């Protein structure tokens, strides 16, 4: 049982380049989300999805796009990378069971550097 | 906007000392979750509290949810070097389904 799988683990981009961070989960979780983690800032929500075909913005969505074509996959696209997007990115998923959020399962993270 | 505040940001203790981190919200929380992130790792779920005044224990860790459901604490008794990491609280701020809001975390360093 792999859980939440993120690829790549590390990435270096030049300003203006685009790329996609991959996230896949094998737990049949309805809820999937992307967070970025910066020193002293904690975990900030970028985008989230409550099911295939449904996505919504989080706290810091600018510069990022997402789609959810299947239950398993939730890729995060950087359209035109900027140095401010240098961060560690975590994908997380959970069941949806009523109004109380279920525990999040996090991937191992992607460390992104934009030069 | 609405936030979940966590203090302290950082604490350095000697092995065997106790440690407490506090989580506060200006609005009522539906729940509180606690996560631990080891250096270089990813956040791992520890526990969830839902009821007003709830107290739960996991070995040397004690978790409390305030009576007004606006604050929470995590207390570690007799810290060990294996407790090193950043502890995050997270809560749901609004009624209906919405996302979790994370505190900024408390980084714990334990010296042997």
């Amino acid at each position: 049982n792999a859980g939440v799988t993120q690829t790549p683990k590390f990435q270096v981009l030049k300003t203006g380049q685009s790329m996609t961070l991959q996230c896949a989960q094998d737990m049949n979780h309805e809820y999937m989300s992307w967070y970025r983690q910066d020193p002293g800032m904690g975990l900030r929500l970028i985008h989230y999805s409550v099911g295939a075909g449904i996505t919504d913005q989080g706290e810091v969505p600018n510069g990022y796009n997402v789609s959810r074509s299947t239950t398993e996959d939730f890729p995060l696209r950087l359209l035109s990378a900027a140095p401010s997007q240098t961060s560690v990115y975590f994908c997380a998923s959970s069941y949806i069971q009523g109004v109380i959020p279920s525990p999040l399962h996090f991937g191992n993270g992607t460390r992104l550097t934009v030069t | 906007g609405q936030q979940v505040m966590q203090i302290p940001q950082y604490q350095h203790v000697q092995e065997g000392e106790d440690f407490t981190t506090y989580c506060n919200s200006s609005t009522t929380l539906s729940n509180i979750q606690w996560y631990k992130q080891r250096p270089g790792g990813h956040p791992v779920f520890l526990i969830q509290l839902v009821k007003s005044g709830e107290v739960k224990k996991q070995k040397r860790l004690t978790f409390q949810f305030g009576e007004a459901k606006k604050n929470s604490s995590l207390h570690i008794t007799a810290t060990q070097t294996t407790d090193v990491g950043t502890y995050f609280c997270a809560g749901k701020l609004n009624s209906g389904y919405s996302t979790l809001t994370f505190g900024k975390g408390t980084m714990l360093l334990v010296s042997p």
Side-chain angles (χ1 to χ4, degrees):
Chain A
N1 195 348
V4 180
T5 303
Q6 285 185 239
T7 56
K9 290 185 179 180
F10 302 93
Q11 183 71 50
V12 179
L13 292 177
K14 295 185 185 299
T15 297
Q17 288 184 317
S18 62
M19 80 158 294
T20 300
L21 279 62
Q22 301 293 342
C23 176
Q25 53 90 11
D26 61 0
M27 297 172 283
N28 205 29
H29 286 166
E30 301 94 341
Y31 179 85
M32 296 187 73
S33 55
W34 278 100
Y35 289 86
R36 61 177 289 173
Q37 184 173 34
D38 303 292
M41 299 297 291
L43 293 158
R44 293 185 292 170
L45 182 64
I46 304 171
H47 285 286
Y48 67 97
S49 168
V50 297
I54 306 169
T55 63
D56 207 345
Q57 297 181 349
E59 180 185 358
V60 288
N62 292 340
Y64 307 95
N65 273 0
V66 292
S67 60
R68 184 95 179 269
S69 56
T70 67
T71 299
E72 294 79 19
D73 300 298
F74 192 46
L76 178 72
R77 281 182 289 277
L78 280 69
L79 308 173
S80 178
S84 61
Q85 293 179 306
T86 294
S87 187
V88 180
Y89 291 84
F90 288 102
C91 178
S93 70
S94 73
Y95 291 112
I96 295 179
Q97 294 172 325
V99 297
I100 300 297
S102 298
L104 289 171
H105 297 252
F106 283 83
N108 288 333
T110 296
R111 188 174 295 274
L112 175 68
T113 301
V114 183
T115 61
Chain B
Q2 295 173 324
Q3 293 183 27
V4 173
M5 308 300 294
Q6 198 172 346
I7 57 171
Q9 280 191 311
Y10 172 85
Q11 188 150 7
H12 184 181
V13 301
Q14 295 293 315
E15 191 171 23
E17 292 181 338
D18 292 356
F19 160 78
T20 305
T21 174
Y22 300 91
C23 190
N24 296 286
S25 170
S26 57
T27 60
T28 302
L29 301 169
S30 297
N31 69 316
I32 197 83
Q33 294 179 358
W34 286 93
Y35 293 80
K36 176 183 179 181
Q37 183 179 24
R38 288 198 162 94
H42 60 276
V44 174
F45 173 78
L46 295 176
I47 208 161
Q48 173 159 263
L49 306 172
V50 178
K51 299 177 182 177
S52 169
E54 190 170 12
V55 178
K56 288 188 177 180
K57 293 189 176 184
Q58 288 180 348
K59 297 183 181 179
R60 295 177 294 103
L61 278 61
T62 301
F63 304 84
Q64 294 188 341
F65 201 9
E67 294 289 341
K69 299 183 74 173
K70 290 184 177 182
N71 56 57
S72 181
S73 64
L74 158 59
H75 179 82
I76 302 178
T77 303
T79 55
Q80 300 175 357
T81 54
T82 54
D83 295 325
V84 165
T86 300
Y87 293 85
F88 292 97
C89 63
K92 188 169 88 77
L93 296 174
N94 301 314
S95 60
Y97 184 83
S98 69
T99 59
L100 288 169
T101 299
F102 278 81
K104 293 185 177 181
T106 296
M107 182 184 296
L108 173 64
L109 180 62
V110 181
S111 295

